[in-house]
Amino acid sequence: MKVYPLRKAAYVLVAGTLIGGCQVLGSSRKDTSAAAKPPAPMQYAPAREGLPTSRIWKSHIRFGDINGDGFADIGAVSRLADGPYVWIGNGKGQWTDASSGLPRESYCGGGMSFGDANNDGKMDVAIADHCHGVFVFLGDGAGHWKNSSAGLPTVGSEDVTVGDFNGDGCLDVAVVAAAEEGVRVFDGNCKGVWKESSKGLPRSEWGNSIVAADMDGDGDLDLVAAYSAGPRMWLNDGKGNWTEASEGLPAPEIHGLYWGIAVGDVNGDGKLDIATGAAIPGTEVFIQEPGPKWRKASEGIVPMNALGVALGDLNNDGKVDLVAVGKTNLDEIGGVYGVYPFLGDGTGKWTSVDNTGLPTTGRERTWGVGLADINNDGVLDIGVAFGDVLSPTWRSGSTARTIEEKGKEKDKGKDAKKDQKEAKKPPERGMFGGVEVWQGRLAGK
């Protein structure tokens, strides 16, 4: 069984890069970024030729090398459109659709994960959808896929992760449900048949994202999820038994606030820590301490409504950094979303980085974010899924206020009435969004 982690699936530092290349290509999408400030330690430029510029992509972003060329490929699931897609990258910011055999029907959004399910040396893909359930498709290494999902749930699921949870050499699947099925694991037999093995995992409520990683260093993959009751961790004994270890993690009275989850060694002590994204209270980081127990370490992270989060070393200083996608304008809806990098100091303190070339507002609702080195230059790049029924050119609050104030300042009453009428126009509705990648480089290089 081979899992292709891409820098350990963006949950550890920069060890074991899979991707590489050079040229940065432009984009037809306009980025709205911070005003001119001193150069940031990292700069980002669009590298998204061939990726979709429409439809709602309510999806986690996952990278993997499906054709074995050493360059990162990317996958995402559309909402109320035509299902999941995979695109092959060439290391130059150009992407080619490689989705032959994947469903072309209306999906609701979810996530995917890459790994070799049948041990043939070629990348396969597991897909979770909010409406349809969980599927595994076997890949031929050239972008063609064959369904191999016997035994997997057909009830809605929000996300999926893969790994060898029982040490038998075959890829297994873990999912977090969209409704009342909780968190579940299905053991694979390397032949495309799956059998549930979820003892100790919650079989009620729902979640939004899930990752697999060896959290306690015992050699077995454990699970961390943005569960309905809050971020949670379950330790694996390697035999199909799971034990929750979430002391110190949030347990809000309101369920379903948390959406994004990521893990990485934030303080360099050799133990993996957790980053979360939530509508309330926003982005948080929790350091693992003996027990295990969890200690909040979010100093410097600005208040925001966050969905996707990712951890990785953005500036190559040997310390884990954070990328959150969401909005810092908490009073409006519409085109107020963006991408926010934070540099870590190795102790759990964070510094927001402006003027990086990433959009900090003016975009559709953000969903998932992923990190990979798409051109093998040693610098992590960023992929984000966007999507909303509201046009990103519309904002609920400040735009209307500005027009009203502008109308009051007009000398001619006719102009004032025209502006006020414009302010009351309903927002344009449709399927707005896209999948975007920004290629990073370090300042001065």
Side-chain angles (χ1 to χ4, degrees):
M1 182 279 300
K2 193 173 184 181
V3 176
Y4 302 97
L6 251 97
R7 294 196 186 183
K8 300 235 177 155
Y11 60 73
V12 200
L13 287 177
V14 194
T17 354
L18 189 65
I19 337 292
C22 41
Q23 183 181 355
V24 180
L25 298 182
S27 169
S28 60
R29 300 291 294 259
K30 183 178 179 180
D31 287 349
T32 306
S33 302
K37 293 181 180 180
M42 313 85 62
Q43 294 293 314
Y44 295 92
R48 56 163 324 281
E49 183 178 324
L51 293 176
T53 59
S54 63
R55 299 196 292 278
I56 297 172
W57 296 91
K58 178 184 175 287
S59 178
H60 300 283
I61 287 289
R62 301 283 155 74
F63 289 96
D65 183 6
I66 70 166
N67 60 349
D69 66 351
F71 294 115
D73 308 315
I74 191 171
V77 184
S78 64
R79 175 171 173 77
L80 305 178
D82 51 358
Y85 278 83
V86 173
W87 298 271
I88 290 175
N90 67 355
K92 300 178 181 179
Q94 299 167 320
W95 308 85
T96 302
D97 182 16
S99 308
S100 177
L102 296 182
R104 282 297 150 260
E105 57 186 287
S106 182
Y107 267 46
C108 297
M112 61 174 61
S113 189
F114 294 101
D116 186 356
N118 58 349
N119 285 348
D120 66 350
K122 298 171 184 175
M123 186 77 79
D124 308 311
V125 62
I127 298 170
D129 179 67
H130 177 88
C131 295
H132 292 279
V134 182
F135 306 89
V136 169
F137 290 86
L138 303 181
D140 68 352
H144 304 96
W145 308 92
K146 182 180 179 181
N147 196 340
S148 185
S149 307
L152 291 176
T154 56
V155 296
S157 297
E158 290 291 349
D159 197 18
V160 59
T161 189
V162 298
D164 183 1
F165 298 119
N166 58 3
D168 66 351
C170 294
L171 199 72
D172 309 313
V173 171
V175 303
V176 60
E180 291 294 332
E181 297 292 327
V183 178
R184 304 170 72 180
V185 168
F186 297 84
D187 291 339
N189 68 351
C190 290
K191 298 179 181 178
V193 178
W194 311 87
K195 182 179 180 180
E196 186 163 6
S197 180
S198 305
K199 186 178 180 180
L201 294 173
R203 287 299 306 273
S204 62
E205 300 203 38
W206 69 98
N208 288 306
S209 58
I210 189 167
V211 295
D214 184 3
M215 300 297 292
D216 57 0
D218 68 350
D220 298 315
L221 287 175
D222 308 305
L223 292 175
V224 182
Y227 184 56
S228 59
R232 294 290 181 267
M233 180 176 79
W234 296 273
L235 298 178
N236 174 22
D237 70 355
K239 300 176 182 178
N241 301 300
W242 301 85
T243 302
E244 186 175 341
S246 306
E247 184 176 347
L249 293 176
E253 291 185 7
I254 300 174
H255 284 201
L257 295 176
Y258 286 84
W259 203 83
I261 203 85
V263 299
D265 185 1
V266 168
N267 59 348
D269 66 351
K271 299 177 182 178
L272 293 178
D273 309 306
I274 297 175
T276 63
I280 300 171
T283 302
E284 298 174 298
V285 175
F286 299 91
I287 300 293
Q288 184 177 174
E289 296 186 331
K293 299 179 181 179
W294 301 94
R295 170 177 59 85
K296 187 175 177 179
S298 305
E299 182 178 335
I301 299 176
V302 300
M304 63 187 303
N305 179 315
L307 280 89
V309 290
L311 292 170
D313 187 358
L314 300 177
N315 60 347
N316 287 354
D317 67 350
K319 300 170 184 176
V320 167
D321 307 310
L322 168 71
V323 179
V325 295
K327 62 177 183 175
T328 57
N329 182 342
L330 303 180
D331 298 324
E332 295 186 71
I333 61 173
V336 293
Y337 291 84
V339 184
Y340 302 90
F342 299 86
L343 296 182
D345 71 349
T347 70
K349 297 179 181 179
W350 308 90
T351 301
S352 177
V353 186
D354 297 321
N355 199 32
T356 63
L358 296 170
T360 56
T361 188
R363 298 306 310 271
E364 305 93 341
R365 182 182 178 93
T366 51
W367 294 99
V369 57
L371 302 178
D373 183 359
I374 68 166
N375 62 340
N376 285 344
D377 67 348
V379 179
L380 282 172
D381 309 307
I382 300 174
V384 180
F386 295 92
D388 204 343
V389 295
L390 300 176
S391 167
T393 62
W394 180 84
R395 293 170 61 164
S396 64
S398 64
T399 299
R401 287 196 297 270
T402 299
I403 293 173
E404 289 171 359
E405 291 168 1
K406 184 178 173 184
K408 292 176 183 178
E409 293 170 0
K410 292 284 186 179
D411 293 330
K412 297 181 179 179
K414 186 183 294 184
D415 290 336
K417 289 179 181 179
K418 180 179 178 182
D419 286 332
Q420 289 168 3
K421 183 178 180 181
E422 187 73 20
K424 296 178 182 178
K425 282 187 176 180
E428 180 184 358
R429 294 182 177 272
M431 297 287 185
F432 303 97
V435 176
E436 306 223 12
V437 173
W438 287 270
Q439 189 168 299
R441 65 175 178 84
L442 300 183
K445 294 185 179 181

